[in-house]
Amino acid sequence: SQKIEQNSEALNIQEGKTATLTCNYTNYSPAYLQWYRQDPGRGPVFLLLIRENEKEKRKERLKVTFDTTLKQSLFHITASQPADSATYLCALDMRGYQKVTFGTGTKLQVIP
Amino acid sequence: EPEVTQTPSHQVTQMGQEVILRCVPISNHLYFYWYRQILGQKVEFLVSFYNNEISEKSEIFDDQFSVERPDGSNFTLKIRSTKLEDSAMYFCANLDRGTYEQYFGPGTRLTVT
């Protein structure tokens, strides 16, 4: 079965720097790879989706890359702010609108 | 902005009791999902639902679980005989078929004692 690894449980970064989070997976590449933000006690909030035939996607200060050869996605937050502190989840949707498999998440702390 | 709502926000029940968790999805979304998250663990897929039937379910979603849309708007998850290990946050989600974005509800915290 598909296994997802996110690089670290926690990542501390200075305000203004770029945070880079990693998501690695085994087996087959998903049709869609998604990134979510989750705050304590809340539901995940969708941030970005990238398709298997796309290399990069951007949205404001966020950038996602997808390398199906390495079976890896990188998630970047540029000019990070304390308000960006949250847990970031990588999720794989293998076929589209069916089962979505989540990673364990990386807890990002942006230090002022 | 439209949002997914869930009730109750917190449910406490005794082991062996039945619980029904409710979700009001975004009106024009047709794909529905239930996920659970045990405290400190990852979000786990339970079931997807489309066109009034289950389209996919996980190993977790055994005979104790069922889903339905009783009145064409609400979407419910029923656990027939709760176990201690069912204690978790349960999230309902809808899919925007145009963008493939999943919109999650705020969750129901289920505590089984």
Side-chain angles (χ1 to χ4, degrees):
Chain A
S1 62
Q2 187 70 270
K3 191 176 174 186
I4 305 169
E5 288 182 357
Q6 295 193 239
N7 59 325
S8 57
E9 282 189 23
L11 179 67
N12 293 330
I13 193 163
Q14 207 70 34
E15 182 177 3
K17 300 290 187 186
T18 296
T20 298
L21 285 64
T22 304
C23 174
N24 293 292
Y25 59 91
T26 58
N27 301 340
Y28 302 104
S29 290
Y32 308 95
L33 190 147
Q34 304 166 4
W35 284 89
Y36 289 81
R37 170 185 173 137
Q38 187 175 30
D39 292 284
R42 312 284 295 270
V45 175
F46 175 87
L47 296 174
L48 277 171
L49 174 149
I50 189 164
R51 292 172 165 76
E52 63 178 328
N53 61 349
E54 296 176 322
K55 298 290 186 191
E56 184 178 296
K57 208 74 165 292
R58 290 175 187 261
K59 180 181 175 182
E60 297 172 355
R61 293 186 295 113
L62 309 180
K63 184 177 88 170
V64 172
T65 62
F66 192 11
D67 188 327
T68 55
T69 303
L70 292 178
K71 297 186 179 180
Q72 182 180 82
S73 174
L74 299 179
F75 177 77
H76 306 272
I77 306 174
T78 56
S80 57
Q81 304 164 0
D84 295 326
S85 298
T87 296
Y88 291 86
L89 311 176
C90 169
L92 307 187
D93 181 353
M94 299 307 293
R95 299 190 301 277
Y97 51 91
Q98 298 285 351
K99 174 180 178 178
V100 174
T101 303
F102 282 83
T104 51
T106 296
K107 186 173 181 180
L108 175 69
Q109 184 81 26
V110 181
I111 303 161
Chain B
E1 186 176 307
E3 58 181 21
V4 178
T5 58
Q6 290 185 243
T7 55
S9 56
H10 190 191
Q11 173 98 42
V12 180
T13 190
Q14 288 193 322
M15 196 167 56
Q17 296 296 305
E18 175 184 283
V19 294
I20 298 176
L21 310 183
R22 293 182 169 80
C23 170
V24 178
I26 296 169
S27 61
N28 59 344
H29 289 182
L30 303 177
Y31 293 86
F32 311 112
Y33 307 83
W34 283 102
Y35 294 86
R36 81 171 185 191
Q37 187 174 31
I38 295 169
L39 186 64
Q41 297 188 23
K42 65 179 181 179
V43 176
E44 298 176 290
F45 170 83
L46 292 177
V47 65
S48 57
F49 190 87
Y50 170 67
N51 205 22
N52 288 321
E53 59 182 34
I54 291 172
S55 49
E56 191 164 357
K57 59 184 180 179
S58 72
E59 319 75 63
I60 304 168
F61 194 88
D62 61 21
D63 292 343
Q64 294 297 322
F65 292 87
S66 62
V67 290
E68 63 176 9
R69 289 193 77 193
D71 56 12
S73 59
N74 293 300
F75 179 49
T76 63
L77 174 70
K78 182 193 291 186
I79 309 175
R80 288 192 184 81
S81 178
T82 50
K83 304 188 278 280
L84 292 176
E85 54 265 36
D86 293 327
S87 295
M89 281 287 280
Y90 287 81
F91 295 108
C92 169
N94 307 165
L95 181 79
D96 181 327
R97 182 65 176 86
T99 63
Y100 287 98
E101 293 185 31
Q102 284 206 29
Y103 293 84
F104 280 74
T108 293
R109 179 172 298 284
L110 176 65
T111 303
V112 182
T113 62

